Amino acid sequence: MRGTGHRVVQAPLGRRAGLRHLPDHTASEEDAPAPELPVTLDMPGKVADYPRTTELEPAERAALDQRTTVRRGQSYTLRVSAVPDVHRGLLARCQPLDGGQGLPAVPAQRKARREYENRVSALSP
């Protein structure tokens, strides 16, 4: 068949794969930051009780409402799924547990807050 004069011309990969109808990407779409994904962290019960006494943002309230309670001996842990910014907000609201703002520092609460702080700070900024 070599002498028949037929030539096979392949289309560029995009056309063969049916990609020619996709819109072109613009620089603004590529530069947009990816949305943060929810992260599940364990919040000690001694910390979890405190934010409920404060005024919470809607996202923080929703995260605490959708938690899972895990029993830990005599205490409990809340398994909270939220984006890192919500975890940081909840942690900031628990700052008085370290003592200050007229509240006495309870060692067990301070330790529980530090544990949650370590978990939150392990998240990428």
Side-chain angles (χ1 to χ4, degrees):
M1 293 221 163
R2 190 171 178 115
T4 60
H6 288 36
R7 274 183 47 198
V8 176
V9 179
Q10 291 187 347
L13 179 61
R15 289 186 183 187
R16 281 187 286 150
L19 300 176
R20 67 176 176 253
H21 298 293
L22 292 177
D24 292 333
H25 292 287
T26 61
S28 63
E29 290 175 350
E30 293 172 2
D31 293 338
E36 289 186 306
L37 298 175
V39 178
T40 302
L41 292 181
D42 288 348
M43 178 187 285
K46 293 186 184 310
V47 174
D49 291 337
Y50 185 76
R52 295 178 189 173
T53 64
T54 64
E55 189 66 32
L56 296 174
E57 297 290 326
E60 295 169 339
R61 172 80 50 208
L64 288 178
D65 289 345
Q66 296 174 3
R67 88 261 181 222
T68 302
T69 304
V70 180
R71 294 291 302 166
R72 302 265 185 217
Q74 293 179 343
S75 186
Y76 68 99
T77 298
L78 293 184
R79 192 156 287 155
V80 180
S81 292
V83 294
D85 284 341
V86 171
H87 283 293
R88 289 183 195 104
L90 290 170
L91 178 63
R93 293 189 188 284
C94 296
Q95 187 67 35
L97 294 177
D98 279 343
Q101 296 183 0
L103 292 176
V106 178
Q109 288 177 332
R110 288 177 53 201
K111 180 180 178 187
R113 188 195 164 285
R114 280 195 316 271
E115 288 175 5
Y116 184 56
E117 181 179 24
N118 290 339
R119 293 173 188 152
V120 171
S121 57
L123 301 172
S124 60

